Short mmCIF file of all heavy atoms in Angstrom, two decimals:
data_model
loop_
_atom_site.label_atom_id
_atom_site.label_comp_id
_atom_site.label_asym_id
_atom_site.label_seq_id
_atom_site.Cartn_x
_atom_site.Cartn_y
_atom_site.Cartn_z
N THR A 607 -4.44 2.15 -1.42
CA THR A 607 -3.35 2.14 -2.43
C THR A 607 -2.29 1.13 -1.98
O THR A 607 -1.83 0.27 -2.78
CB THR A 607 -2.67 3.49 -2.53
OG1 THR A 607 -3.71 4.41 -2.99
CG2 THR A 607 -1.48 3.48 -3.52
N SER A 608 -1.97 1.16 -0.67
CA SER A 608 -0.95 0.15 -0.20
C SER A 608 -1.48 -1.23 -0.13
O SER A 608 -0.79 -2.25 -0.32
CB SER A 608 -0.36 0.61 1.14
OG SER A 608 -1.45 0.86 2.06
N LEU A 609 -2.85 -1.39 0.07
CA LEU A 609 -3.45 -2.68 0.12
C LEU A 609 -3.32 -3.32 -1.38
O LEU A 609 -2.94 -4.45 -1.43
CB LEU A 609 -4.92 -2.53 0.36
CG LEU A 609 -5.75 -3.86 0.34
CD1 LEU A 609 -5.41 -4.80 1.39
CD2 LEU A 609 -7.26 -3.52 0.34
N LYS A 610 -3.66 -2.58 -2.34
CA LYS A 610 -3.49 -3.04 -3.69
C LYS A 610 -2.09 -3.41 -4.10
O LYS A 610 -1.81 -4.41 -4.75
CB LYS A 610 -4.18 -2.07 -4.71
CG LYS A 610 -5.64 -1.90 -4.53
CD LYS A 610 -6.15 -0.87 -5.61
CE LYS A 610 -7.65 -0.76 -5.50
NZ LYS A 610 -8.17 0.21 -6.43
N GLU A 611 -1.11 -2.62 -3.63
CA GLU A 611 0.25 -2.87 -3.87
C GLU A 611 0.69 -4.19 -3.23
O GLU A 611 1.43 -4.98 -3.86
CB GLU A 611 1.13 -1.67 -3.30
CG GLU A 611 2.58 -1.74 -3.64
CD GLU A 611 3.37 -0.70 -3.08
OE1 GLU A 611 2.79 0.33 -2.57
OE2 GLU A 611 4.67 -0.73 -3.16
N ALA A 612 0.16 -4.36 -1.94
CA ALA A 612 0.53 -5.58 -1.29
C ALA A 612 -0.08 -6.90 -1.95
O ALA A 612 0.59 -7.91 -2.10
CB ALA A 612 0.09 -5.55 0.15
N VAL A 613 -1.35 -6.73 -2.27
CA VAL A 613 -1.98 -7.84 -3.04
C VAL A 613 -1.27 -8.21 -4.36
O VAL A 613 -1.04 -9.41 -4.70
CB VAL A 613 -3.46 -7.48 -3.28
CG1 VAL A 613 -4.12 -8.54 -4.15
CG2 VAL A 613 -4.20 -7.43 -1.89
N ALA A 614 -0.92 -7.21 -5.12
CA ALA A 614 -0.21 -7.42 -6.37
C ALA A 614 1.10 -8.07 -6.13
O ALA A 614 1.43 -8.96 -6.97
CB ALA A 614 -0.05 -6.09 -7.16
N LYS A 615 1.88 -7.66 -5.12
CA LYS A 615 3.07 -8.28 -4.87
C LYS A 615 2.89 -9.72 -4.42
O LYS A 615 3.69 -10.60 -4.87
CB LYS A 615 3.80 -7.49 -3.72
CG LYS A 615 5.24 -7.97 -3.42
CD LYS A 615 5.96 -7.06 -2.46
CE LYS A 615 7.33 -7.56 -2.22
NZ LYS A 615 8.07 -6.60 -1.24
N ARG A 616 1.98 -10.06 -3.63
CA ARG A 616 1.66 -11.41 -3.23
C ARG A 616 1.29 -12.24 -4.38
O ARG A 616 1.77 -13.42 -4.55
CB ARG A 616 0.61 -11.55 -2.21
CG ARG A 616 0.89 -10.93 -0.85
CD ARG A 616 2.22 -11.46 -0.24
NE ARG A 616 1.99 -12.94 0.03
CZ ARG A 616 3.00 -13.73 0.28
NH1 ARG A 616 4.23 -13.33 0.21
NH2 ARG A 616 2.75 -15.03 0.50
N LEU A 617 0.49 -11.76 -5.35
CA LEU A 617 0.13 -12.53 -6.52
C LEU A 617 1.31 -12.82 -7.42
O LEU A 617 1.45 -13.88 -7.91
CB LEU A 617 -0.96 -11.79 -7.34
CG LEU A 617 -1.48 -12.51 -8.52
CD1 LEU A 617 -2.11 -13.85 -8.20
CD2 LEU A 617 -2.49 -11.64 -9.32
N ALA A 618 2.19 -11.81 -7.62
CA ALA A 618 3.46 -12.13 -8.30
C ALA A 618 4.20 -13.16 -7.77
O ALA A 618 4.76 -13.99 -8.47
CB ALA A 618 4.20 -10.73 -8.40
N PHE A 619 4.24 -13.27 -6.44
CA PHE A 619 4.98 -14.37 -5.80
C PHE A 619 4.32 -15.70 -6.06
O PHE A 619 4.97 -16.68 -6.35
CB PHE A 619 5.10 -14.08 -4.28
CG PHE A 619 5.63 -15.24 -3.47
CD1 PHE A 619 6.88 -15.69 -3.65
CD2 PHE A 619 4.79 -15.83 -2.44
CE1 PHE A 619 7.39 -16.82 -2.90
CE2 PHE A 619 5.24 -16.89 -1.71
CZ PHE A 619 6.53 -17.33 -1.96
N PHE A 620 2.98 -15.74 -5.88
CA PHE A 620 2.24 -16.95 -6.19
C PHE A 620 2.41 -17.48 -7.64
O PHE A 620 2.68 -18.69 -7.82
CB PHE A 620 0.72 -16.81 -5.91
CG PHE A 620 0.28 -17.04 -4.53
CD1 PHE A 620 0.82 -16.32 -3.46
CD2 PHE A 620 -0.60 -18.04 -4.31
CE1 PHE A 620 0.35 -16.60 -2.13
CE2 PHE A 620 -1.09 -18.30 -2.96
CZ PHE A 620 -0.61 -17.61 -1.92
N VAL A 621 2.41 -16.54 -8.56
CA VAL A 621 2.71 -16.96 -9.97
C VAL A 621 4.09 -17.37 -10.16
O VAL A 621 4.35 -18.51 -10.86
CB VAL A 621 2.37 -15.63 -10.88
CG1 VAL A 621 2.87 -16.00 -12.33
CG2 VAL A 621 0.90 -15.31 -10.87
N GLU A 622 5.08 -16.83 -9.47
CA GLU A 622 6.40 -17.36 -9.57
C GLU A 622 6.50 -18.80 -9.02
O GLU A 622 7.24 -19.61 -9.43
CB GLU A 622 7.28 -16.40 -8.71
CG GLU A 622 8.73 -16.81 -8.66
CD GLU A 622 9.66 -15.90 -7.79
OE1 GLU A 622 9.13 -14.74 -7.43
OE2 GLU A 622 10.73 -16.32 -7.39
N MET A 623 5.62 -19.13 -8.00
CA MET A 623 5.58 -20.42 -7.44
C MET A 623 4.69 -21.42 -8.24
O MET A 623 4.41 -22.47 -7.80
CB MET A 623 5.13 -20.41 -6.00
CG MET A 623 6.06 -19.65 -5.07
SD MET A 623 7.64 -20.46 -5.03
CE MET A 623 7.18 -22.01 -4.12
N GLY A 624 4.20 -21.01 -9.39
CA GLY A 624 3.45 -21.87 -10.28
C GLY A 624 1.98 -21.71 -10.31
O GLY A 624 1.25 -22.46 -10.94
N CYS A 625 1.43 -20.71 -9.61
CA CYS A 625 0.01 -20.51 -9.51
C CYS A 625 -0.65 -20.34 -10.88
O CYS A 625 -0.22 -19.48 -11.72
CB CYS A 625 -0.37 -19.25 -8.64
SG CYS A 625 -2.04 -18.81 -8.60
N ARG A 626 -1.74 -21.05 -11.14
CA ARG A 626 -2.48 -20.89 -12.43
C ARG A 626 -3.91 -20.57 -12.18
O ARG A 626 -4.62 -20.14 -13.07
CB ARG A 626 -2.40 -22.25 -13.25
CG ARG A 626 -0.99 -22.62 -13.74
CD ARG A 626 -0.45 -21.58 -14.74
NE ARG A 626 -1.46 -21.25 -15.74
CZ ARG A 626 -1.64 -20.07 -16.24
NH1 ARG A 626 -1.07 -19.01 -15.75
NH2 ARG A 626 -2.63 -19.95 -17.12
N VAL A 627 -4.45 -20.86 -10.92
CA VAL A 627 -5.87 -20.54 -10.72
C VAL A 627 -6.03 -19.79 -9.37
O VAL A 627 -5.18 -19.80 -8.56
CB VAL A 627 -6.59 -21.90 -10.60
CG1 VAL A 627 -6.53 -22.70 -11.89
CG2 VAL A 627 -6.07 -22.80 -9.47
N THR A 628 -7.18 -19.10 -9.34
CA THR A 628 -7.43 -18.27 -8.19
C THR A 628 -8.87 -18.65 -7.74
O THR A 628 -9.65 -19.26 -8.52
CB THR A 628 -7.39 -16.75 -8.56
OG1 THR A 628 -8.60 -16.42 -9.43
CG2 THR A 628 -6.14 -16.44 -9.25
N ASP A 629 -9.22 -18.36 -6.42
CA ASP A 629 -10.48 -18.67 -5.89
C ASP A 629 -11.07 -17.48 -5.15
O ASP A 629 -10.33 -16.73 -4.37
CB ASP A 629 -10.33 -19.84 -4.87
CG ASP A 629 -10.00 -21.06 -5.43
OD1 ASP A 629 -10.72 -21.55 -6.36
OD2 ASP A 629 -8.98 -21.78 -5.06
N ILE A 630 -12.46 -17.39 -5.28
CA ILE A 630 -13.16 -16.34 -4.42
C ILE A 630 -14.33 -17.27 -3.95
O ILE A 630 -15.16 -17.75 -4.75
CB ILE A 630 -13.55 -15.20 -5.23
CG1 ILE A 630 -12.33 -14.35 -5.67
CG2 ILE A 630 -14.49 -14.30 -4.32
CD1 ILE A 630 -12.76 -13.17 -6.54
N GLY A 631 -14.62 -17.26 -2.69
CA GLY A 631 -15.68 -17.93 -2.11
C GLY A 631 -16.51 -17.28 -1.05
O GLY A 631 -17.06 -17.86 -0.21
N VAL A 632 -16.48 -15.94 -1.11
CA VAL A 632 -17.21 -15.16 -0.09
C VAL A 632 -18.77 -15.31 -0.32
O VAL A 632 -19.20 -15.44 -1.47
CB VAL A 632 -16.82 -13.63 -0.19
CG1 VAL A 632 -15.31 -13.55 0.20
CG2 VAL A 632 -17.17 -12.94 -1.48
N PRO A 633 -19.50 -15.38 0.77
CA PRO A 633 -20.90 -15.66 0.52
C PRO A 633 -21.72 -14.38 0.15
O PRO A 633 -22.88 -14.55 -0.17
CB PRO A 633 -21.36 -16.06 1.98
CG PRO A 633 -20.34 -15.43 2.92
CD PRO A 633 -19.07 -15.43 2.19
N PHE A 634 -21.10 -13.24 0.20
CA PHE A 634 -21.81 -12.01 -0.19
C PHE A 634 -21.33 -11.55 -1.61
O PHE A 634 -20.14 -11.39 -1.87
CB PHE A 634 -21.49 -10.89 0.78
CG PHE A 634 -21.49 -11.38 2.23
CD1 PHE A 634 -20.35 -11.62 2.91
CD2 PHE A 634 -22.74 -11.52 2.88
CE1 PHE A 634 -20.38 -12.17 4.25
CE2 PHE A 634 -22.79 -12.04 4.16
CZ PHE A 634 -21.66 -12.26 4.90
N PHE A 635 -22.32 -11.41 -2.54
CA PHE A 635 -21.92 -11.20 -3.90
C PHE A 635 -22.29 -9.68 -4.27
O PHE A 635 -23.31 -9.21 -3.94
CB PHE A 635 -22.67 -12.07 -4.83
CG PHE A 635 -22.09 -12.19 -6.24
CD1 PHE A 635 -20.93 -12.93 -6.37
CD2 PHE A 635 -22.63 -11.49 -7.26
CE1 PHE A 635 -20.27 -12.99 -7.61
CE2 PHE A 635 -22.06 -11.58 -8.48
CZ PHE A 635 -20.90 -12.36 -8.66
N PRO A 636 -21.21 -9.05 -4.87
CA PRO A 636 -21.40 -7.55 -5.18
C PRO A 636 -22.49 -7.37 -6.24
O PRO A 636 -22.61 -8.09 -7.12
CB PRO A 636 -20.03 -7.18 -5.62
CG PRO A 636 -19.43 -8.40 -6.20
CD PRO A 636 -19.92 -9.57 -5.32
N ASN A 637 -23.15 -6.14 -6.13
CA ASN A 637 -24.11 -5.81 -7.11
C ASN A 637 -23.83 -4.28 -7.53
O ASN A 637 -24.69 -3.67 -8.14
CB ASN A 637 -25.54 -5.97 -6.58
CG ASN A 637 -25.83 -5.20 -5.34
OD1 ASN A 637 -24.91 -4.52 -4.86
ND2 ASN A 637 -26.98 -5.35 -4.81
N ARG A 638 -22.70 -3.74 -7.12
CA ARG A 638 -22.34 -2.40 -7.52
C ARG A 638 -20.90 -2.22 -7.38
O ARG A 638 -20.16 -3.04 -6.72
CB ARG A 638 -23.05 -1.35 -6.66
CG ARG A 638 -22.83 -1.49 -5.12
CD ARG A 638 -23.57 -0.40 -4.36
NE ARG A 638 -23.07 0.95 -4.56
CZ ARG A 638 -22.17 1.47 -3.83
NH1 ARG A 638 -21.62 0.81 -2.69
NH2 ARG A 638 -21.73 2.66 -4.08
N LEU A 639 -20.28 -1.12 -7.97
CA LEU A 639 -18.96 -0.83 -7.91
C LEU A 639 -18.74 0.46 -7.17
O LEU A 639 -19.25 1.47 -7.59
CB LEU A 639 -18.29 -0.71 -9.31
CG LEU A 639 -18.39 -1.93 -10.29
CD1 LEU A 639 -17.66 -1.57 -11.56
CD2 LEU A 639 -17.81 -3.11 -9.66
N ALA A 640 -17.97 0.45 -6.11
CA ALA A 640 -17.59 1.71 -5.48
C ALA A 640 -16.52 2.37 -6.29
O ALA A 640 -15.58 1.69 -6.83
CB ALA A 640 -17.16 1.45 -4.09
N ASP A 641 -16.47 3.66 -6.33
CA ASP A 641 -15.30 4.30 -6.94
C ASP A 641 -14.15 4.32 -6.03
O ASP A 641 -14.22 3.77 -4.89
CB ASP A 641 -15.69 5.76 -7.39
CG ASP A 641 -16.03 6.73 -6.26
OD1 ASP A 641 -15.72 6.35 -5.06
OD2 ASP A 641 -16.70 7.69 -6.47
N GLU A 642 -12.99 4.78 -6.47
CA GLU A 642 -11.73 4.77 -5.67
C GLU A 642 -11.90 5.42 -4.27
O GLU A 642 -11.45 4.84 -3.32
CB GLU A 642 -10.60 5.49 -6.47
CG GLU A 642 -9.27 5.15 -5.91
CD GLU A 642 -8.79 3.74 -6.36
OE1 GLU A 642 -9.33 3.19 -7.20
OE2 GLU A 642 -7.84 3.23 -5.69
N GLN A 643 -12.52 6.55 -4.23
CA GLN A 643 -12.62 7.32 -2.94
C GLN A 643 -13.54 6.49 -1.98
O GLN A 643 -13.21 6.36 -0.78
CB GLN A 643 -13.21 8.69 -3.16
CG GLN A 643 -13.16 9.51 -1.86
CD GLN A 643 -11.86 9.66 -1.22
OE1 GLN A 643 -10.86 10.02 -1.89
NE2 GLN A 643 -11.65 9.22 0.00
N GLU A 644 -14.66 6.04 -2.48
CA GLU A 644 -15.59 5.24 -1.63
C GLU A 644 -14.96 3.95 -1.11
O GLU A 644 -15.11 3.65 0.13
CB GLU A 644 -16.88 4.99 -2.36
CG GLU A 644 -17.93 4.25 -1.43
CD GLU A 644 -19.12 3.74 -2.15
OE1 GLU A 644 -19.32 4.09 -3.35
OE2 GLU A 644 -19.92 2.98 -1.59
N ALA A 645 -14.32 3.29 -2.05
CA ALA A 645 -13.64 2.06 -1.63
C ALA A 645 -12.52 2.35 -0.57
O ALA A 645 -12.37 1.54 0.43
CB ALA A 645 -13.09 1.32 -2.79
N ALA A 646 -11.88 3.49 -0.80
CA ALA A 646 -10.74 3.79 0.22
C ALA A 646 -11.34 4.14 1.58
O ALA A 646 -10.82 3.68 2.60
CB ALA A 646 -10.01 5.00 -0.35
N ASP A 647 -12.54 4.84 1.56
CA ASP A 647 -13.11 5.22 2.83
C ASP A 647 -13.62 3.93 3.58
O ASP A 647 -13.54 3.74 4.82
CB ASP A 647 -14.32 6.17 2.56
CG ASP A 647 -13.85 7.57 2.12
OD1 ASP A 647 -12.72 7.88 2.33
OD2 ASP A 647 -14.72 8.24 1.56
N THR A 648 -14.21 2.98 2.79
CA THR A 648 -14.71 1.80 3.39
C THR A 648 -13.57 0.98 3.99
O THR A 648 -13.66 0.30 5.04
CB THR A 648 -15.50 0.96 2.31
OG1 THR A 648 -16.61 1.70 1.78
CG2 THR A 648 -15.97 -0.34 2.91
N PHE A 649 -12.44 0.92 3.28
CA PHE A 649 -11.32 0.18 3.74
C PHE A 649 -10.76 0.71 5.08
O PHE A 649 -10.41 0.05 5.97
CB PHE A 649 -10.15 0.06 2.72
CG PHE A 649 -9.05 -0.74 3.18
CD1 PHE A 649 -9.12 -2.10 3.38
CD2 PHE A 649 -7.81 -0.09 3.27
CE1 PHE A 649 -8.00 -2.85 3.82
CE2 PHE A 649 -6.63 -0.80 3.80
CZ PHE A 649 -6.75 -2.14 3.97
N GLN A 650 -10.79 2.06 5.15
CA GLN A 650 -10.30 2.75 6.40
C GLN A 650 -11.29 2.29 7.52
O GLN A 650 -10.78 2.10 8.65
CB GLN A 650 -10.31 4.27 6.21
CG GLN A 650 -9.11 4.79 5.46
CD GLN A 650 -7.81 4.43 6.08
OE1 GLN A 650 -7.65 4.51 7.27
NE2 GLN A 650 -6.88 3.99 5.28
N LYS A 651 -12.54 2.30 7.29
CA LYS A 651 -13.44 1.90 8.37
C LYS A 651 -13.14 0.39 8.80
O LYS A 651 -13.16 0.08 9.97
CB LYS A 651 -14.88 1.94 7.84
CG LYS A 651 -15.39 3.35 7.67
CD LYS A 651 -16.81 3.41 7.24
CE LYS A 651 -17.39 4.84 7.10
NZ LYS A 651 -18.77 4.78 6.65
N ALA A 652 -12.79 -0.41 7.83
CA ALA A 652 -12.46 -1.84 8.13
C ALA A 652 -11.31 -1.87 9.01
O ALA A 652 -11.18 -2.64 10.04
CB ALA A 652 -12.33 -2.66 6.83
N LEU A 653 -10.33 -1.09 8.66
CA LEU A 653 -9.01 -1.08 9.42
C LEU A 653 -9.25 -0.68 10.91
O LEU A 653 -8.51 -1.14 11.82
CB LEU A 653 -7.94 -0.21 8.80
CG LEU A 653 -7.22 -0.75 7.53
CD1 LEU A 653 -6.25 0.28 7.02
CD2 LEU A 653 -6.53 -2.05 7.88
#
């Protein structure tokens, strides 16, 4: 939850600074969607 809040705040700042485009270049491409709980558990493991 706080991760998403932080990302949203940073994006708002970028837009304020004129941002018009975004980039994703990770070599691993998703083929499924985790639900909120699973994604939260995975993020805790990463931390």
Side-chain angles (χ1 to χ4, degrees):
T607 299
S608 53
L609 174 71
K610 292 179 177 179
E611 184 181 353
V613 171
K615 187 174 180 180
R616 294 303 297 164
L617 181 59
F619 171 62
F620 269 62
V621 170
E622 182 183 340
M623 294 297 293
C625 174
R626 294 295 311 137
V627 298
T628 72
D629 289 306
I630 298 175
V632 298
F634 315 102
F635 198 74
N637 58 1
R638 56 181 292 266
L639 302 182
D641 62 21
E642 194 77 17
Q643 186 58 57
E644 182 190 350
D647 292 343
T648 300
F649 181 65
Q650 282 300 315
K651 289 181 178 179
L653 283 180

